[in-house]
Amino acid sequence: KDAERTKKLMSIFTRTLWTFIMIGGFIGCLLMGHAYMIILVMLCQMLVYREVTRLFMLTDPKTTHTERDVWSKTLNWYFFAVANYFLYGESIIYYFKHVVFAEASLLPFATNHRIISFSLYTIGFMGFVMSLQKGYLQQQFGLFCWVHMSLLLVVVSSHFIVNNILEGLIWFWVPASLVICNDIFAYIWGMSIGRTPLIKLSPKKTVEGFVGAFGTTIVFAILWGTYFSQFNYMICPVHDLGVNAWSKIQCQPNSAFVWREWQIWPPVAAFMSALVPGEIKSIWFMPYQIHLAVMACFASLVAPFGGFFASGFKRAFNIKDFGHSIPGHGGMTDRMDCQFLMGVFTYVYYTNLIREHHVTVGTVLQTIVSGLTTDEQFELMRDLKHYLEGQGLLVSL
């Protein structure tokens, strides 16, 4: 009993220590800038992809011997590299048009990115077909499907998370914090008053913990998100990957971050004024606070199902953890299962309901470079020069 108690205490100590190490690293990357956050996401997705693909091994049909085919492993990482090249290339072209289309050396990459990506994928597909071996066909095709499903669930989800970072750190930092908050308080409420099992895939999850974490996460979301919405560093879309928390960043804030006054219905205002000292006729709020409540609901009611999915996944393969990447916590997949689902939801929600579309220098430059001939570009320059000189500005070309 003493040995078990000592082992349990050491496990708790290790888990707590690495929890603070992860939080410190997370905050450190946040302060250092967008580029470091992107590198962190890419590192996490690489570890998750490695843990997931390692679950599938080729087995000799004549024996129970399990082995790894080196060529298949190489193809797995080749498809991983091609998927990242395509997805992150799309992000670079979209968010940094003002750089990509203005630099002659980057123009071939920008204009031919998709055909290059498809060509690279085709090479990988041909390599897979050439690697097929009699006796392993069923398993090799199963591995091929496994890799593509992993790319869809891991790499594509990570791509959306990176886009959230580029749209403004607050669209990554706050949703990720909500998932962590919900997970912590589900554990606290479950340990305190939990009695009713929630789902068979996760026997330790309770209804009381689920409901208690839901209410706590909504309150936390509004307070936490409102605090960070006051910093330009958090809400401004990225235009320069070299900025950090100490850089002076200015931008036109999204209308979701602008405070508004809501006039209370007179009978309700009179009732509220009778309850508290003073006269209450209006309430100040940000539309972002409403969005925070929606994201908190998703983080509490839907994102945990990513964890339940991972639990069922581990039961299917009869494993306790996906790996041992993080001491005391298991694998990276065990920590990122809910984050992927939350990241995709945040991107879809933001791009459909919040993002404002404006004409930018990069958008105009992309149209000029890709849609006009050289003579037409010179004609545009002359006309623009004539216009600016008409405004009393001295222009030299």
Side-chain angles (χ1 to χ4, degrees), residues 277-391:
E279 189 176 13
I280 302 176
K281 293 184 177 180
S282 62
I283 296 177
W284 286 90
F285 76 102
M286 282 190 301
Y288 177 58
Q289 292 171 328
I290 300 175
H291 301 310
L292 285 171
V294 175
M295 288 190 287
C297 290
F298 187 90
S300 302
L301 303 178
V302 181
F305 281 83
F308 302 153
F309 175 83
S311 298
F313 205 83
K314 288 186 285 188
R315 284 178 176 270
F317 286 87
N318 195 28
I319 57 176
K320 181 180 179 182
D321 296 310
F322 281 97
H324 305 282
S325 306
I326 311 172
H329 289 265
M332 182 61 69
T333 311
D334 297 287
R335 298 277 67 84
M336 294 294 293
D337 45 14
C338 301
Q339 294 287 0
F340 286 135
L341 195 60
M342 188 69 197
V344 175
F345 168 76
T346 302
Y347 178 78
V348 174
Y349 184 84
Y350 170 79
T351 53
N352 280 270
L353 300 177
I354 303 175
R355 184 165 65 182
E356 297 174 342
H357 298 275
H358 301 288
V359 177
T360 63
V361 174
T363 304
V364 175
L365 189 59
Q366 180 183 14
T367 304
I368 293 172
V369 172
S370 59
L372 299 180
T373 63
T374 304
D375 292 336
E376 291 172 333
Q377 291 173 12
F378 276 113
E379 181 182 355
L380 176 63
M381 290 175 62
R382 290 192 294 268
D383 291 343
L384 184 59
K385 179 176 181 292
H386 178 72
Y387 167 76
L388 293 175
E389 290 176 343
Q391 301 295 317

Side-chain angles (χ1 to χ4, degrees), residues 204-255:
K204 295 183 180 180
K205 303 291 185 181
T206 64
V207 175
E208 292 82 1
F210 190 77
V211 175
F214 169 69
T216 307
T217 304
I218 290 180
V219 175
F220 173 83
I222 295 175
L223 297 176
W224 187 254
T226 301
Y227 172 75
F228 285 101
S229 65
Q230 63 183 311
F231 302 107
N232 285 340
Y233 176 67
M234 298 297 296
I235 67 175
C236 289
V238 62
H239 293 288
D240 180 9
L241 288 175
V243 301
N244 55 49
W246 296 273
S247 302
K248 294 182 179 180
I249 301 176
Q250 297 294 329
C251 68
Q252 181 66 33
N254 188 293
S255 59

